[in-house]
Amino acid sequence: MSRAIKHLIIGGIIIMSINVPTAVTANENDLKLDIVNPKNLYDPSPNGYSTAVIVPRQGRLAYISGQGGQDSMGALSPDFAVQVKQAYANLRTALDALGARPHQVAKLTVFVVDHDMSKLEVLTSNVKDMFGEALPAQTLIPVPKLAIDSMLFEVEAVVVLD
């Protein structure tokens, strides 16, 4: 075996041993998200989000890709409200696949095609229906277009796993 290969093998063993995680036992309270809405800032909770969310030190993060309003067959309704409702149902399915619940979502980013104020009621209603009082931090980004021409809404999430 060449000297270079021996060095690669030894280096790989060292790197692998450095990255071995130690066992940590955490209870549910250790993994709870802390929601922060400072009193000297506008209260965003009536609009369906929180100013900030603190992720616990022991939390593992999962990133859920943008979920659009397609049904299980890939069809998109032309109606904005229907797409938003379906997108949140799709997000819930993705959370279920991770073994996570809505209260574990720390951050949402939503993309709205041709956003205007009339769409806020639909967005707020769906967020409150899914998250209740545990409102994640959230950013809304108005966009001219999404990946599919008839797509009007997309939501992505950062989730803290147990």
Side-chain angles (χ1 to χ4, degrees), residues 22-120:
T22 57
V24 175
T25 304
N27 64 43
E28 187 173 317
N29 289 334
D30 292 337
L31 297 172
K32 186 176 182 291
L33 300 176
D34 289 321
I35 295 172
V36 180
N37 287 313
K39 300 260 185 256
N40 56 341
L41 290 178
Y42 165 78
D43 180 11
S45 57
N47 296 320
Y49 67 98
S50 295
T51 300
V53 176
I54 301 171
V55 174
R57 180 171 290 154
Q58 302 85 352
R60 288 185 310 134
L61 296 180
Y63 296 85
I64 297 178
S65 295
Q67 299 300 304
Q70 301 94 328
D71 64 18
S72 61
M73 302 300 289
L76 278 165
S77 167
D79 183 80
F80 178 76
V82 172
Q83 282 196 30
V84 172
K85 184 174 181 143
Q86 182 63 53
Y88 279 103
N90 294 344
L91 177 59
R92 183 60 187 251
T93 299
L95 288 171
D96 290 346
L98 296 172
R101 299 291 169 253
H103 72 272
Q104 293 171 265
V105 174
K107 173 74 165 78
L108 293 175
T109 303
V110 298
F111 303 90
V112 179
V113 172
D114 298 328
H115 174 66
D116 62 45
M117 295 306 284
S118 69
K119 295 179 180 175
L120 280 180

